[in-house]
Amino acid sequence: MGVSKEQVESALRSKLAPSHIEVIDTSGGCGASFKVEIVSEQFEGKRLLDRHRMVNGALAEEMKDIHALSITKALTPDQWNKQQQSQTFQPVA
Amino acid sequence: MEHSRTTASASGSFLQYGLRFSTSVPNDPDTHDDFKPTNKLENSDLTLKDIVEQDVKDNHVMIYMKGDPEQPRCGFSSLAVRVLSEYRVPMHSRNILEDPELKKAVQAFSMWPTFPQIFINGEFIGGSDIILNMHQNGELKEKLKATSSE
């Protein structure tokens, strides 16, 4: 049995208290692969490897059924805000 | 499998400037004992953990992946190889699909659940997301530069 996008999201919410989270099911519905974008204060002062470890750890149970987990963003709220700002400054085509 | 290499399960391959050198040696009875191939896995003195430790110690860039650099068998492994190939550094690889026990040993060693797994100069770097990220922000270049100057 696969894992639902909601399960992934709620596990991450409860363990990492993200201020922003986006989980995309990239498996085409079978629940075996996900893309995650997550922003959390808990990432403060941690390098990317450790942030990924935290996400993997939070999903330890789910990972048994997930074949592919891509963590595209694991940012602190500061980094996230900066990214958002630099995007809004881009001219609208 | 379309892949015809039938060496032992923990055979490695060596990719440098696009050329691959296999580490397997033909079984030639005339060869002196000293030159006989040593299969690390069959050597009872060495555990899989030892092999992984040696791999990451002996190779500046070590990648445990699905498939091999010439024929990755997973998009994430393929991505990691493509990123690392940009830097034209020697890269040693092992195919974890050929050996479930090796796969477990690597996972236990790095405490990391997925593949590919990349080690640079003995340090665990991460998977494909991290290597891509470090490629984009320039950290990977620095990391590889630091190791190749040694």
Side-chain angles (χ1 to χ4, degrees):
Chain A
M1 265 305 285
V3 178
S4 74
K5 171 179 172 302
E6 288 73 24
Q7 277 172 282
V8 173
E9 213 176 293
S10 80
L12 290 173
R13 274 192 199 285
S14 70
K15 289 174 181 129
L16 298 174
S19 57
H20 165 83
I21 182 167
E22 190 173 351
V23 178
I24 300 166
D25 184 341
T26 49
S27 69
C30 75
S33 93
F34 295 92
K35 228 180 199 175
V36 172
E37 194 177 283
I38 181 166
V39 180
S40 168
E41 267 177 20
Q42 295 180 23
F43 292 148
E44 204 75 60
K46 297 213 161 59
R47 62 198 181 126
L48 192 58
L49 178 66
D50 295 320
R51 294 177 189 187
H52 280 230
R53 282 197 193 282
M54 289 164 76
V55 174
N56 288 334
L59 294 174
E61 202 48 44
E62 289 76 8
M63 282 302 276
K64 289 173 193 163
D65 296 311
I66 297 175
H67 297 163
L69 179 74
S70 178
I71 305 166
T72 50
K73 278 180 189 165
L75 304 173
T76 62
D78 268 1
Q79 291 173 318
W80 172 250
N81 289 337
K82 271 181 203 144
Q83 275 201 6
Q84 293 300 100
Q85 272 169 21
S86 66
Q87 272 168 22
T88 50
F89 282 133
Q90 273 163 16
V92 182
Chain B
M1 288 224 300
E2 46 207 281
H3 202 222
S4 61
R5 203 156 49 91
T6 51
T7 43
S9 44
S11 66
S13 69
F14 187 64
L15 188 88
Q16 186 169 26
Y17 306 108
L19 292 171
R20 180 146 69 77
F21 305 95
S22 177
T23 52
S24 60
V25 183
N27 251 323
D28 184 350
D30 292 336
T31 315
H32 187 271
D33 271 357
D34 285 355
F35 302 107
K36 273 199 172 151
T38 51
N39 184 339
K40 287 173 178 175
L41 283 191
E42 279 168 16
N43 187 336
S44 54
D45 294 343
L46 274 174
T47 63
L48 283 164
K49 182 171 170 275
D50 293 334
I51 291 173
V52 175
E53 271 173 11
Q54 220 160 53
D55 275 349
V56 307
K57 195 172 73 135
D58 294 348
N59 299 289
H60 279 323
V61 180
M62 181 72 212
I63 176 168
Y64 294 94
M65 60 182 288
K66 295 185 176 175
D68 58 56
E70 279 184 339
Q71 266 187 327
R73 305 188 72 88
C74 159
F76 297 105
S77 287
S78 171
L79 173 67
V81 167
R82 263 187 293 145
V83 168
L84 286 166
S85 301
E86 290 278 304
Y87 296 87
R88 309 221 161 255
V89 288
M91 168 169 42
H92 199 88
S93 75
R94 280 194 200 275
N95 179 359
I96 53 97
L97 290 178
E98 286 180 350
D99 190 340
E101 292 304 314
L102 174 73
K103 177 183 172 184
K104 279 187 214 154
V106 176
Q107 286 170 322
F109 180 77
S110 58
M111 312 268 283
W112 192 262
T114 53
F115 288 89
Q117 296 194 11
I118 298 111
F119 294 79
I120 298 178
N121 214 25
E123 183 193 349
F124 177 57
I125 302 300
S128 59
D129 290 322
I130 292 182
I131 211 83
L132 179 62
N133 203 286
M134 289 175 71
H135 172 60
Q136 287 164 344
N137 68 17
E139 275 178 53
L140 187 56
K141 193 178 177 186
E142 291 307 309
K143 191 126 258 176
L144 289 167
K145 210 193 276 171
T147 58
S148 61
S149 64
E150 277 176 27

